[in-house]
Amino acid sequence: MIITHYSLDTVDSTNFWAKRRALSFAPDEFAIISSLEQSSGRGRFDRTWLSPKGKNLYLSYAFFIEKMPSSSFFYSQLAALSLFDLLTDYSLAPQIKWPNDLLVNNKKISGILTDITMVEEKFLIVIGIGLNINMEEKLLLSLGRPATSMLYETGKSFLLDEIKQQLTHIFINKFLQSKVAKEQEALSSLWREKVLWMIHTQVNVQRYGTAIQGTVEEIHPDGTLILNSETEGNVRVTSGEIS
Ligand code: BTN
C-alpha cells in the first residue's frame, strides 16, 4: 500500500476532489486528501458542511477495492471507531450516534460521508470526515443544530496537522486489521457496542423527507436499525437520520 498526502489550501470538497482524481490514483494507493477550507463542503443528504478556513479538519481517505462490497457502510464504521478512539485519547467521552455521527455532550462534533464510485471495473471508496476542532461558539450556534468542537469542550485550541496525523494513524491500523475477514466482523461488532446506548430510546427517523417515530429495538452489526413504531410496527431502517 502506498500512502500519499494531498494537502490543499482550498477546494470545493475533498470528497469531490478525490472522485475527480480517481483515474490518477495508483491501484494500491491510500490517498489522504485534506484542505484548509472547503467552498462547497457536503454533508449527508446533500447538506452543506460549513468549512471555515483553518478551523476544522476536512479530510477524505480514498482507495480502490476490487470487489463490490455489499455496502460501503463498513468503511463509515471504521471511520466512526477511529474518531471515537481519537476523541477518547483527548478525554472527550464521545458517543457514536446511529448511523455514524460522533457526539460529545450530546452535540455533534464530527460527521462522516462515504461514497463509492465505479472506476474502470474497480471501486473507489471515498471516506469524508469533518471534525470540528477550533470552531468557536458563535459559529457553532450559527449552524442551527446542536454542534460542538474540541475547542468548545476543552477551552484549548489544537494543531490541525497533529490531529490529522493521529486520526490517520488510528484509521490505517483499523483498515489493515479489517483485511482479515474475522477482524472485520470484530470491528463491526465493536461499532455495534458503541451504538447500543440508543436501544430503547425514543427517536424520530427522517428518511428522505418522511418521519417515523418510535423506539429503537435493535441495531445489527451490519448497520441496520430496527425501529418499533406505534403506527407501523417494527421497521428496518438502513439509512436515515435520527433526532
Ligand atoms: C455529515 O453530514 O454528517 C457528514 C459530513 C462530512 C463532511 C466531510 S468534510 C470532508 C469531506 N468533504 C466533504 O464535502 N464532506 C466530507
Side-chain angles (χ1 to χ4, degrees):
M1 187 165 89
I2 314 164
I3 299 173
T4 50
H5 293 261
Y6 303 90
S7 302
L8 315 170
D9 283 338
T10 187
V11 72
D12 48 359
S13 145
T14 53
N15 273 31
F16 295 164
W17 191 92
K19 285 189 268 182
R20 281 196 298 271
R21 291 282 294 247
L23 285 173
S24 71
F25 294 136
D28 58 344
E29 182 169 349
F30 181 95
I32 302 153
I33 303 112
S34 62
S35 183
L36 286 179
E37 67 179 343
Q38 299 183 116
S39 56
S40 217
R42 281 281 151 267
R44 294 172 66 234
F45 307 107
D46 210 27
R47 291 207 187 104
T48 299
W49 186 262
L50 192 68
S51 311
K53 189 163 193 163
K55 297 273 176 203
N56 303 319
L57 198 61
Y58 318 115
L59 171 79
S60 299
Y61 297 130
F63 49 87
F64 285 111
I65 54 167
E66 296 287 336
K67 272 195 262 149
M68 172 72 178
S70 51
S71 106
S72 59
F73 190 71
F74 174 69
Y75 297 102
S76 298
Q77 290 179 323
L78 272 190
L81 286 173
S82 305
L83 285 155
F84 185 95
D85 287 358
L86 176 92
L87 293 166
T88 304
D89 286 347
Y90 284 91
S91 310
L92 281 168
Q95 280 182 304
I96 302 179
K97 180 176 160 197
W98 185 93
N100 269 316
D101 284 348
L102 271 293
L103 308 183
V104 170
N105 286 328
N106 290 318
K107 287 175 279 181
K108 182 159 166 171
I109 196 162
S110 177
I112 299 163
L113 179 68
T114 301
D115 289 315
I116 176 159
T117 323
M118 195 171 176
V119 184
E120 292 185 342
E121 285 163 27
K122 288 194 301 278
F123 299 92
L124 181 76
I125 303 284
V126 178
I127 306 165
I129 296 172
L131 171 63
N132 296 341
I133 298 182
N134 295 328
M135 192 136 92
E136 301 93 351
E137 188 173 8
K138 201 170 154 208
L139 264 184
L140 291 168
L141 290 173
S142 77
L143 293 173
R145 40 179 80 220
T148 193
S149 66
M150 292 176 68
L151 168 70
Y152 184 78
E153 295 298 327
T154 63
K156 291 184 219 147
S157 51
F158 296 86
L159 293 174
L160 300 184
D161 264 348
E162 215 169 279
I163 304 231
K164 178 172 77 174
Q165 274 174 31
Q166 286 170 13
L167 179 64
T168 302
H169 179 76
I170 300 172
F171 183 87
I172 289 181
N173 276 339
K174 293 196 192 301
F175 177 66
L176 294 174
Q177 185 188 343
S178 75
K179 304 250 180 217
V180 180
K182 263 222 157 111
E183 295 291 323
Q184 179 158 342
E185 272 171 41
L187 286 160
S188 287
S189 300
L190 192 61
W191 170 88
R192 178 176 176 271
E193 274 170 34
K194 309 261 188 252
V195 288
L196 273 186
W197 64 273
M198 295 178 74
I199 290 200
H200 302 316
T201 57
Q202 265 304 111
V203 295
N204 212 325
V205 182
Q206 283 290 336
R207 290 152 90 203
Y208 303 102
T210 1
I212 324 172
Q213 273 187 357
T215 314
V216 179
E217 275 286 306
E218 176 57 301
I219 301 177
H220 293 290
D222 68 0
T224 319
L225 179 138
I226 310 293
L227 185 75
N228 187 264
S229 116
E230 288 122 45
T231 49
E232 297 176 45
N234 273 7
V235 183
R236 282 180 90 84
V237 191
T238 51
S239 92
E241 184 165 71
I242 278 186
S243 58

